[in-house]
Amino acid sequence: MSSLAAWISERLHVVVGYSESSTVRFVESLCLSAQSAAELSASLRRLEISDDAFARELWARRPAAPAPRERRLRKRPADDDDDDDDDKGAAKGLAKGLAKG
């Protein structure tokens, strides 16, 4: 159990009089998915947990969001052969087209 989950479990006993592991995980997921303290508070109110101090302290204990990952570009395999076979056909076609025109 994370330290945040342990804190939620302890506080739920005080705030609502009980604490079950599924409730703790759900409240923790609400906290981590909320975009603001107000959104978290509103979500908790829908669960009939209307203690604003609990919501504020829970928001303050929320771990910092990880930095967004940089988009990884897929690298194409390098053309390791030294021959230019694939380029010769295109060059010949281009030369023929220019000669006709």
Side-chain angles (χ1 to χ4, degrees):
M1 180 182 295
S2 70
S3 61
L4 179 61
W7 181 86
I8 292 169
S9 179
E10 291 173 15
R11 292 295 295 152
L12 282 176
H13 276 292
V14 174
V15 174
V16 295
Y18 71 92
S19 175
E20 296 178 359
S21 61
S22 58
T23 306
V24 170
R25 286 192 309 268
F26 186 67
V27 170
E28 183 178 28
S29 70
L30 287 176
C31 177
L32 297 175
S33 65
Q35 299 297 313
S36 67
E39 181 182 331
L40 174 60
S41 184
S43 296
L44 292 172
R45 284 182 188 280
R46 284 191 291 276
L47 297 174
E48 298 181 7
I49 302 173
S50 57
D51 187 323
D52 288 331
F54 171 70
R56 281 192 306 271
E57 191 168 352
L58 177 55
W59 181 258
R61 291 176 174 268
R62 178 183 177 194
R69 292 183 181 178
E70 288 185 30
R71 188 173 175 187
R72 295 182 186 181
L73 299 177
R74 184 181 302 181
K75 292 184 179 180
R76 294 184 181 176
D79 185 11
D80 291 339
D81 59 356
D82 289 335
D83 63 350
D84 292 327
D85 294 350
D86 22 315
D87 294 335
K88 288 179 184 176
K92 284 181 184 177
L94 180 60
K96 284 181 184 178
L98 291 175
K100 289 181 181 179

